[in-house]
Amino acid sequence: MRLITYSRAADAAAAIAAVSADPTSDFLAGGTTEVDLLRQNVLTPRRLVDINGLPLTGIDEAPDGGLRIGALARMSEVAASPLVRERYPVVAQALEAGASPQLRNMASMGGNLLQRVRCPYYRDAVSPCNRREPGSGCSAVEGFSRGHAVLGTSEQCIAAHPSDVAVALAALDARVHTLGRRGELAYGIDDFFLTPGHTPHREHPLEHGELITAIELPSAPIGRRSVYLKVRDRASYEFALVSAACALSLVDGTIADVRLALGGVATKPWRAHRAEGVLLGAPAHRDSFAEAARMELSDARTTADNAFKTELAQRVIVRALETLTVNGRTS
């Protein structure tokens, strides 16, 4: 039996100091991923510092018209927020598609961004896995890989990033605010998630003990016309095979601005910059959408199990874009 010490933090400074001083410690928020991995012996911290009492739960309007969401705000609270639903419907839709109601009531926004991959080889605590034990190998490369990534992969890891809301945040250029020994920092959402490269065990640029305090959504009028489309094996709680977060604005039938990010197909929330470049200034037509989708997936690296994701992702992109366009107008 492994003994685990538990304590509650009185304030952010105390929480950061406690975790920073002990490399075997970790923060505990909703625990919807942490507790599972503890039970499976995938994570083996000797100390958990409960941060649920910290005042990091607000959903506040920023002076520029954006929103600042506390890291401990629950997924269900954010999804139900009138401000989120009006200004960033793609975020509310991604949250509601991302978990069961019970999990959404417990899971925190900051914890959702830090959740670990759902690769079965990572989670069985036995198979070689470079994320869990650097240098041990990647069982998925030669193993069963139907749910794995086709973009942003390396020889070291092909696990797909699991978060839904992170895909929506990537499309909206969100920023992640943290507090740690280096003081207050802010990361662009695209920089917050790292591709595996040669260091798949390093998923974020955070130092040990660095605490997420808030997620900032910048003012983005385009966000009011946005959609999250998720394709999965079953309609109930399930992780994405492919998903797309899309926001679009049109002027006289031409795409004036577009934001697009993909989930389920990459090792991080995948901002589709290549597709956006094709779409910007193009007519809002299925042919334009299909060409953009084809270009975005042109560098996909597939296995025999997940090769279907290349075509499926293209179809999802087209469907999401078509959902936002009706008779040359933004829907």
Side-chain angles (χ1 to χ4, degrees), residues 89-271:
V90 66
V91 172
Q93 293 167 19
L95 286 166
E96 290 174 342
S100 68
Q102 295 91 335
L103 287 174
R104 294 199 300 270
N105 286 336
M106 283 296 297
S108 68
M109 290 294 290
N112 184 279
L113 299 188
L114 294 176
Q115 68 178 293
R116 302 301 179 91
V117 295
R118 301 288 160 167
C119 174
Y121 300 109
Y122 170 78
R123 289 176 171 257
D124 70 10
V126 176
S127 300
C129 173
N130 287 319
R131 282 186 186 258
R132 193 182 63 249
E133 186 179 348
S136 63
C138 177
S139 298
V141 170
E142 299 295 336
F144 182 68
S145 54
R146 181 174 180 271
H148 287 66
V150 300
L151 295 170
T153 62
S154 75
E155 297 301 321
Q156 303 296 315
C157 182
I158 61 172
H161 182 81
S163 173
D164 287 282
V165 72
V167 180
L169 296 174
L172 296 169
D173 293 317
R175 294 178 65 80
V176 180
H177 293 262
T178 68
L179 181 63
R181 292 181 296 183
R182 296 177 293 174
E184 295 183 13
L185 296 175
Y187 302 88
I189 192 75
D190 201 38
D191 296 326
F192 183 76
F193 297 100
L194 307 178
T195 54
H198 295 290
T199 56
H201 61 286
R202 184 166 170 76
E203 301 177 19
H204 309 278
L206 304 181
E207 287 188 343
H208 182 70
E210 191 172 346
L211 177 67
I212 299 177
T213 56
I215 299 163
E216 175 193 354
L217 283 165
S219 177
I222 191 176
R224 294 175 181 266
R225 298 289 188 267
S226 57
V227 68
Y228 186 72
L229 179 60
K230 180 176 181 178
V231 176
R232 45 192 165 177
D233 282 325
R234 59 185 181 184
S236 61
Y237 169 44
E238 183 60 277
F239 292 91
L241 289 172
V242 177
S243 66
C246 184
L248 186 72
S249 66
L250 302 179
V251 175
D252 297 328
T254 298
I255 299 172
D257 196 4
V258 62
R259 312 288 176 83
L260 181 63
L262 303 177
V265 295
T267 53
K268 60 181 282 186
W270 192 261
R271 183 65 180 268

Side-chain angles (χ1 to χ4, degrees), residues 8-134:
R8 290 185 179 182
D11 52 50
I16 293 165
V19 174
S20 297
D22 181 0
T24 68
S25 63
D26 207 352
F27 298 117
L28 178 67
T32 56
T33 294
E34 183 92 12
V35 173
D36 282 348
L37 296 179
L38 283 171
R39 289 171 174 166
Q40 294 169 290
N41 291 314
V42 175
L43 298 181
T44 56
R46 293 190 301 192
R47 181 181 189 184
L48 292 176
V49 178
D50 191 328
I51 59 173
N52 284 289
L54 304 184
L56 301 174
T57 60
I59 304 171
D60 302 311
E61 188 171 7
D64 68 351
L67 292 181
R68 185 180 177 95
I69 300 170
L72 290 175
R74 304 304 170 179
M75 290 171 61
S76 57
E77 296 169 348
V78 178
S81 164
L83 286 173
V84 174
R85 300 185 79 86
E86 177 187 358
R87 299 183 187 182
Y88 310 97
V90 66
V91 172
Q93 293 167 19
L95 286 166
E96 290 174 342
S100 68
Q102 295 91 335
L103 287 174
R104 294 199 300 270
N105 286 336
M106 283 296 297
S108 68
M109 290 294 290
N112 184 279
L113 299 188
L114 294 176
Q115 68 178 293
R116 302 301 179 91
V117 295
R118 301 288 160 167
C119 174
Y121 300 109
Y122 170 78
R123 289 176 171 257
D124 70 10
V126 176
S127 300
C129 173
N130 287 319
R131 282 186 186 258
R132 193 182 63 249
E133 186 179 348

